[in-house]
Each structure stands twice: as structure tokens, then as C-alpha cells.
């Protein structure tokens, strides 16, 4: 993949607005996913006393201009610093819309980088198929992402306490959990006849089973993350969404997660990224 080609945004096959709409759609779908243990949905607020579904909807609306803007910056092959500036401005709009609740900081980071990659690949005539979007993030911005620190963030705190690198390492590596775990889980479920809501649940549990989730670590330490991963693996080992009592089993995990005040927000961010990539590749016929 040659990312040094001349960039001509006017030749884009998919508009920046379309990339933005697909990113927002991914966030709407992620919100709708239920049961999604410990997390906010239209049914309840999970382990979050400071936010609900209406806050998420306001947050998504506040990001309307962000994703097209960062896709446009990607099409210009912008360095990492301008992308950061766009992300920080988007975070401020999110916080204003939610009265200070952190509804989408991780999604702003992950989906923003993937939107920038989509803008760059689109402008250079490279297909979105396969691992291309993740590879683009890794090759163009990966080394800069790894160097950046965010003192005070949950991810930085858990890195200091437990040595888990979290969201920045995931992005710098080209989103391996998105492409190696999440997308296959979603697409295999669909191929086996699951409807999209069920396939999202299967995808989420597949991610929760393996992601070293810094949100879980921040709230529950290593024991909390280990418990959540084990619960997800047990759900999948018993057939996941393809066994008759799947919904009740998933709700049981959700209730147990809430009782422990655990929240696998990192896995939710990965789910949103999976849904975004799936939508992009489907729209582009990749």
C-alpha cells in the first residue's frame, strides 16, 4: 500500500459526509445493542449512574461534523497532531452535550482514526477491503499514537498500575481486535442466519472475552477484568446467541456486571469500530 501517492480529495468515491454518517450509524447501533453487560442501552444505564441513552444520543448528534472533518484531514494525509486537535474539539462538544459525561471519548479516538484512514484510502484509490483501514492507521500514524500520553485518563492509569497499554496500543497496531476478532464474529453470526441485533451481541461477547479492557481494569482491577472475560467465554462456549436461552443468559451476565459496578467500555468502543468498518466495507463493496 503506497500512502505517499498524490492526494486528490475531489476524486473521492465516498464523500466525507457519507463516512461521517456511517460512523454515526455505528454509534447508534452500538447503543442499541442489548444485552451488552454493564453498559448503557435504551433499556437501562448499566453500571453508569451518570449517563443514560438520551445522553448518548445527544453526544452522537454533537459529533455530526467531527467525522467528516477528520476524514477530510485524512484525505490530505494530515499528520497526527491535527487529528488530535479535531478529536479534542470533538470531546469538548461531547462534554457540553452531556453535561460532562464521558459517553464517547474512546469512540472519538478509534472511529476518528478509522475515518481518517477511510479518507486517505479513498483519496488515493485504495480499497477498504481486508485489513486496509487498520493497516493505514498503523502505517501513517502508528508511531505517533504510541508516543502520545494522556495523563489522568483511565487508560494511562491502568497502564501505570497494570502495564496494559489499552486503546492507543490497539490503534497503533492497526486494530487487531477489530479485524481478527470482532468482524469475523459479526460476519460468521450473520452467515449462520442471525439477525443483526443478535450478531452484535455475539460480536460484543467475543470482544469482551479477549480485550484487555482498561475500563474494567480501572473499576475492578485484574480480578474484575478476569471475571468479565471468563463470563464472556462461558457464554460463547455454551453456544452464544445460537442456544435457545441465549437472551436470558446474556441478561444474567449484564445484571452480574452491574452488581459488580463493572463496565467493559473498551469492548464497546471496539464494537462500534467493528460496526463502522463493516458499514464502510459494505458501502464500498469491499
Amino acid at each position: 500500500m503506497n500512502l505517499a501517492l498524490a492526494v486528490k480529495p475531489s476524486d473521492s468515491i465516498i464523500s466525507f459526509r457519507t463516512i461521517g454518517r456511517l460512523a454515526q450509524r455505528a454509534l447508534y447501533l452500538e447503543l442499541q445493542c442489548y444485552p451488552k453487560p454493564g453498559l448503557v442501552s435504551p433499556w437501562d444505564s448499566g453500571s453508569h449512574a451518570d449517563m443514560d441513552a438520551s445522553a448518548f444520543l445527544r453526544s452522537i448528534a454533537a459529533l455530526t461534523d467531527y467525522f467528516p472533518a477528520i476524514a477530510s484531514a485524512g484525505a490530505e494525509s494530515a499528520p497526527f497532531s491535527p487529528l488530535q486537535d479535531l478529536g479534542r474539539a470533538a470531546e469538548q462538544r461531547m462534554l457540553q452535550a452531556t453535561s460532562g459525561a464521558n459517553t464517547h471519548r474512546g469512540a472519538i479516538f478509534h472511529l476518528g482514526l478509522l475515518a481518517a484512514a477511510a479518507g486517505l484510502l479513498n483519496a488515493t484509490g485504495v480499497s477498504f477491503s481486508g485489513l486496509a483501514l487498520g493497516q493505514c492507521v498503523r502505517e501513517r500514524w502508528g508511531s505517533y499514537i504510541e508516543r502520545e500520553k494522556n495523563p489522568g485518563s483511565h487508560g494511562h492509569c491502568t497502564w501505570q498500575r497494570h502495564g496494559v497499554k489499552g486503546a492507543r496500543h490497539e490503534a497503533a497496531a492497526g486494530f487487531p481486535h477489530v479485524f481478527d476478532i470482532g468482524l469475523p464474529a459479526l460476519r460468521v453470526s450473520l452467515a449462520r442466519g442471525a439477525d443483526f441485533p443478535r450478531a452484535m451481541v455475539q460480536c460484543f461477547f467475543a470482544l469482551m472475552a479477549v480485550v484487555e479492557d482498561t475500563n474494567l481494569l480501572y473499576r475492578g482491577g485484574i480480578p474484575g477484568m478476569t471475571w468479565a472475560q471468563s463470563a464472556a467465554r462461558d457464554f460463547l462456549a455454551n453456544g452464544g446467541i445460537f442456544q435457545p436461552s441465549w437472551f436470558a443468559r446474556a441478561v444474567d451476565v449484564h445484571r452480574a456486571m452491574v452488581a459488580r459496578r463493572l463496565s467493559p467500555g473498551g469492548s464497546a468502543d471496539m464494537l462500534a469500530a467493528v460496526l463502522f468498518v463493516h458499514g464502510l466495507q459494505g458501502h464500498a463493496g469491499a
Side-chain angles (χ1 to χ4, degrees):
M1 182 190 307
N2 184 0
L3 301 182
L5 298 173
V7 175
K8 298 179 180 179
S10 61
D11 293 339
S12 295
I13 298 169
I14 297 179
S15 72
F16 303 138
R17 282 290 168 193
T18 297
I19 293 171
R21 284 195 298 271
L22 289 169
Q24 283 188 293
R25 180 176 182 270
L27 295 179
Y28 281 119
L29 288 170
E30 185 272 321
L31 175 61
Q32 290 288 329
C33 180
Y34 182 83
K36 190 175 56 193
L39 294 159
V40 175
S41 76
W43 285 264
D44 62 48
S45 294
S47 298
H48 296 272
D50 61 337
M51 62 185 80
D52 58 16
S54 65
F56 273 70
L57 292 173
R58 293 195 303 275
S59 176
I60 294 168
L63 301 177
T64 298
D65 295 330
Y66 166 60
F67 295 113
I70 201 166
S72 177
E76 296 287 351
S77 195
F80 185 59
S81 181
L83 303 187
Q84 271 191 310
D85 291 341
L86 288 168
R88 287 168 178 157
E91 281 189 20
Q92 290 305 307
R93 292 195 294 275
M94 171 197 74
L95 293 172
Q96 289 172 3
T98 63
S99 301
N102 172 20
T103 47
H104 286 115
R105 182 171 288 132
I108 287 169
F109 179 67
H110 290 309
L111 270 65
L113 285 168
L114 288 165
L120 179 52
L121 295 184
N122 198 34
T124 53
V126 179
S127 169
F128 295 162
S129 63
L131 306 177
L133 287 157
Q135 288 174 340
C136 179
V137 172
R138 185 183 71 236
E139 292 174 12
R140 179 67 184 90
W141 300 293
S143 60
Y144 303 98
I145 294 168
E146 284 280 29
R147 287 202 295 267
E148 289 295 324
K149 305 297 180 188
N150 188 11
S153 69
H154 289 183
H156 188 75
C157 290
T158 54
W159 173 72
Q160 289 183 314
R161 292 175 189 169
H162 307 293
V164 173
K165 295 182 178 179
R168 290 188 176 276
H169 181 71
E170 173 74 19
F175 298 98
H177 286 101
V178 170
F179 292 94
D180 298 340
I181 304 296
L183 273 170
L186 181 75
R187 290 172 174 169
V188 167
S189 298
L190 293 171
R192 290 182 61 184
D195 59 22
F196 206 84
R198 278 201 302 150
M200 285 197 295
V201 172
Q202 185 80 353
C203 177
F204 179 78
F205 273 86
L207 290 164
M208 190 168 72
V210 295
V211 169
E212 291 188 324
D213 195 313
T214 55
N215 286 275
L216 285 172
L217 282 167
Y218 186 81
R219 285 183 174 232
I222 294 293
M225 185 179 73
T226 300
W227 178 87
Q229 289 178 330
S230 178
R233 287 195 296 269
D234 288 347
F235 175 80
L236 296 169
N238 283 304
I241 63 167
F242 295 101
Q243 50 102 6
S245 58
W246 75 269
F247 187 85
R249 286 178 177 269
V251 169
D252 285 345
V253 178
H254 174 56
R255 289 173 177 164
M257 193 84 77
V258 172
R260 289 168 170 80
R261 308 305 299 166
L262 296 173
S263 172
S267 299
D269 292 337
M270 291 295 97
L271 173 62
V274 167
L275 296 171
F276 181 40
V277 172
H278 180 74
L280 278 169
Q281 291 182 340
H283 187 90

